[in-house]
Amino acid sequence: MEASLLWGIQKIRRIGGEREGGFPGADIILKQIELKDVSRKRVGLVGQTKAPVREGTELFDTDDNKIGVVTSGTAGPTAGKPVSMGYIRADLNVIGEEVYALVRGKKLAMTIEKMPFVPQRYHRG
């Protein structure tokens, strides 16, 4: 639930399915699905500067409260801007909201955006 990857769990492996559980992390994930209660959510982040924000970088809100951490990030040549993914407090998961990444002692502004960052351009025919 917190990673928004529910589509990756087969229905037969979910609660009440023929072969419930049986995958790594099943105890935690099935509990999150049942209770719909998570403390953090995976978000897409787009930098407002050219500096990429890397794994392990702490994220802060406008009041300097630590709200999460970046799990991966790089320059996004296709997106035309630096992109990152991370986990933040679930109550702060708002598209368009501004957060700050602490990079080398400086706070860099980032915006929470929907993923994928670049729309798909292929056609299955």
Side-chain angles (χ1 to χ4, degrees), residues 18 28 33 51 53 61 79 97-98 102-103:
E18 294 173 24
I28 295 169
I33 293 169
V53 177
D61 64 10
E97 190 70 26
E98 193 169 280
L102 187 60
V103 178

Side-chain angles (χ1 to χ4, degrees), residues 93-107:
N93 182 15
V94 178
I95 301 294
E97 190 70 26
E98 193 169 280
V99 297
Y100 300 91
L102 187 60
V103 178
R104 292 185 218 106
K106 292 183 180 179
K107 288 194 176 176

Side-chain angles (χ1 to χ4, degrees), residues 20-34:
E20 182 177 315
F23 56 89
D27 297 337
I28 295 169
I29 294 169
L30 293 177
K31 189 176 184 181
Q32 288 178 347
I33 293 169
E34 181 180 18

